[in-house]
Amino acid sequence: MAASGAHVNFFAGSPLNRLAWLRTSYPFLNAAVVSPATRWVVFKNGNPLMASEAVSGDDPQKSKILSLARLTTKEVQPLLGSEPYFHQGEKPGEIAETGVSILETARLHGPPIVFLGLHEPDTETGETDVLPSSDFSGKTDPAAVASRLKGTPFFSLDVSKVPQGDVNEVLQATTTAKEGGSLEFIDGRNAMGHLTQIDSAIFSEARSLIDWNSRIKFCASCGSSIFSQWAGWKRSCSSLLPWADNTGKEPCDTNAGIHNITFPRSDPVVIAVVVNEANDKVLLGRNVGIRTISEISHHLMTFLQQRWPPKFYSALAGFVEPGEALEDTFKRELWEEAAVRVWGIQFHSTQPWPFPANIMAGFYALADSDAPVRTDLDNELQDAKWFTREEILAVLNHKEGTDEPNFKLPPRNALAGVLLSDWANGRIVVGGNGQGPVQAHHGATNDAKPFKNFF
């Protein structure tokens, strides 16, 4: 959880205490699911369920207010399947045998569920009201112990494989629908412009975990199907289940170690903002997506054009490769994409990016703006060039309804937009005494339009 006053990017600063040590406690999880305080964030094909509340006024653009839907357990219960929800046995409705580690909080039946954490109320002392795992033993009543938790437990639910008719029936019976509002699944990037800072962090965690659980279906060692454990935070090989029929199969390597048990991953990406030594120019590039390449099919070209619309420029970026420090990635990507040599690399901040599960690391560095820029080495960019501070500020300060600027920049709910804004507005001076950027921007912001305008 983010400390007050610390630098917080969009999608970061989660308000949830993840209670990771209780992911293995099925008494706690099953009690938390049925708690009246529990709230659910629902996804379908990676798209979040958003709630809209009708508001008065003649402006059709302001006819409704969108927010991340938070449903109660009572509302989503018809979609969850049979109890127990965790520590399930071979058949629906059966509870697994205790003391069998491979069945620890297993979820074998019903749509994917992830325990996200507990949103605790603010207190004057800042103390939390968390519970140790030892409280949930055979000698205690789990529901009674869980009732001592103060706050809101959060779960996410993936209804991608649930019949649409069943989903519609549940949504129509919600309090939101009964009070005249509406619920709809919308594209995650389009949802960004409607999320509060707190909701963005909950969304980021939920979407990344839902995506991971939906894509990772088979054991990397033996190819058997895998199943969910630890409330959606671990997936294990089904060949290890007590009732698995492994006749004629070699034992799965996961039975001899933990190296192939699957845990969620975050892929690191470096966001590289390069300025000249005078601190009055910045190097930006645009993706090759809009280049006319005869070898690219029409459908792929359409996809790339949607992701990089005309006149869109951003910071250069790239994935971290094995054996690289983040600074090494910065240097390599700048050379591969623009033939630019950099020095004086300085760290700014990081940002989770749930499309699908990246961690963005933002850096500044210096380079010679008089040196030639080339994009013909790895051909990832259509163009890369230097822009003045005044040109960047003109775009950042552009007012709707006036003439369109000559180019577009990423919004401030993306780390690249934060880096550019902080530099252009003088909150960051790159280089200086070599101690890193000064006057880091504080506080998160979401002043961007829905992301469909950019990607």
Side-chain angles (χ1 to χ4, degrees):
M1 293 174 285
S4 176
H7 179 93
V8 181
N9 285 312
F10 198 67
F11 289 138
S14 175
L16 303 185
N17 184 337
R18 298 191 179 190
L19 302 179
W21 62 92
L22 290 176
R23 293 171 187 162
T24 60
S25 172
Y26 73 88
F28 163 74
L29 293 171
N30 286 326
V33 166
V34 298
S35 168
T38 292
R39 293 297 180 266
W40 294 78
V41 181
V42 185
F43 288 81
K44 183 178 178 65
N45 298 323
N47 299 323
L49 183 67
M50 302 290 286
S52 63
E53 176 185 354
V55 296
S56 59
D58 298 328
D59 187 348
Q61 298 299 321
K62 298 181 179 179
S63 60
K64 61 182 181 180
I65 299 174
L66 283 175
S67 61
L68 188 66
R70 303 181 180 193
L71 304 187
T72 66
T73 296
K74 183 178 180 180
E75 290 172 327
V76 302
Q77 203 153 21
L79 304 176
L80 300 182
S82 303
E83 294 189 62
Y85 301 116
F86 296 100
H87 207 67
Q88 296 176 334
E90 181 178 5
K91 298 177 181 179
E94 291 183 349
I95 191 165
E97 181 182 353
T98 58
V100 181
S101 61
I102 196 63
L103 297 177
E104 196 171 56
T105 64
R107 181 165 174 81
L108 302 162
H109 316 289
I113 292 175
V114 178
F115 174 61
L116 302 175
L118 178 72
H119 190 188
E120 299 172 289
D122 293 330
T123 63
E124 292 182 2
T125 62
E127 295 179 355
T128 63
D129 188 38
V130 299
L131 302 175
S133 56
S134 59
D135 279 11
F136 296 92
S137 66
K139 300 178 181 180
T140 62
D141 176 5
V145 177
S147 68
R148 289 168 28 206
L149 283 174
K150 296 179 181 179
T152 305
F154 272 84
F155 287 82
S156 60
L157 169 66
D158 183 8
V159 298
S160 300
K161 303 300 182 183
V162 177
Q164 187 60 47
D166 294 346
V167 175
N168 291 341
E169 185 176 349
V170 164
L171 298 185
Q172 290 166 5
T174 61
T175 300
T176 297
K178 291 178 180 178
E179 293 180 350
S182 63
L183 294 162
E184 59 181 324
F185 294 97
I186 71 173
D187 178 80
R189 287 182 173 84
N190 292 348
M192 286 174 60
H194 304 284
L195 298 176
T196 65
Q197 174 63 28
I198 287 178
D199 281 354
S200 79
I202 295 173
F203 167 87
S204 176
E205 177 188 358
R207 191 188 188 283
S208 292
L209 268 295
I210 286 293
D211 177 84
W212 174 73
N213 275 278
S214 68
R215 287 188 297 110
I216 308 302
K217 298 291 189 182
F218 301 99
C219 176
S221 178
C222 71
S224 299
S225 62
I226 56 178
F227 64 95
S228 174
Q229 287 189 276
W230 294 9
W233 289 85
K234 172 181 172 181
R235 296 183 68 80
S236 299
C237 181
S238 62
S239 72
L240 306 182
L241 291 170
W243 52 82
D245 181 5
N246 296 316
T247 304
K249 297 180 181 179
E250 291 290 330
C252 181
D253 288 342
T254 57
N255 199 30
I258 64 170
H259 50 282
N260 275 323
I261 291 175
T262 306
F263 295 94
R265 59 182 288 173
S266 293
D267 297 319
V269 175
V270 166
I271 307 295
V273 170
V274 179
V275 304
N276 64 347
E277 287 189 287
N279 261 264
D280 59 7
K281 292 182 180 179
V282 62
L283 179 67
L284 302 178
R286 62 175 280 99
N287 192 278
V288 74
I290 60 90
R291 179 184 291 176
T292 302
I293 303 178
S294 59
E295 294 84 1
I296 297 181
S297 70
H298 170 73
H299 294 294
L300 178 56
M301 177 60 70
T302 300
F303 169 76
L304 291 171
Q305 287 174 335
Q306 289 173 345
R307 290 185 60 83
W308 281 80
K311 303 192 294 184
F312 182 79
Y313 280 81
S314 185
L316 277 61
F319 285 95
V320 179
E321 294 186 348
E324 278 189 327
L326 300 180
E327 295 86 349
D328 297 334
T329 302
F330 192 122
K331 294 177 182 178
R332 175 180 56 78
E333 286 291 341
L334 263 294
W335 178 252
E336 290 177 353
E337 294 186 358
V340 170
R341 299 187 185 277
V342 300
W343 64 90
I345 297 174
Q346 301 167 345
F347 174 71
H348 180 277
S349 61
T350 60
Q351 179 188 35
W353 190 254
F355 302 104
N358 303 116
I359 180 70
M360 308 295 198
F363 291 86
Y364 295 100
L366 296 172
D368 182 1
S369 58
D370 293 325
V373 175
R374 295 175 53 185
T375 60
D376 61 342
L377 296 179
D378 66 2
N379 292 299
E380 286 192 14
L381 298 180
Q382 183 211 21
D383 187 29
K385 60 183 179 181
W386 293 89
F387 293 85
T388 66
R389 185 188 301 270
E390 289 71 24
E391 289 175 312
I392 300 298
L393 286 172
V395 176
L396 295 177
N397 297 327
H398 173 257
K399 296 181 179 179
E400 289 195 34
T402 61
D403 292 341
E404 284 293 316
N406 293 328
F407 60 98
K408 296 180 180 180
L409 293 172
R412 282 186 55 81
N413 51 15
L415 180 54
V418 174
L419 295 171
L420 290 171
S421 177
D422 278 2
W423 170 78
N425 286 289
R427 290 187 287 264
I428 293 294
V429 177
V430 183
N433 59 11
Q435 299 302 310
V438 298
Q439 292 184 310
H441 165 72
H442 288 276
T445 183
N446 185 16
D447 56 4
K449 302 173 184 177
F451 231 67
K452 65 181 179 181
N453 296 327
F454 298 91
F455 288 95

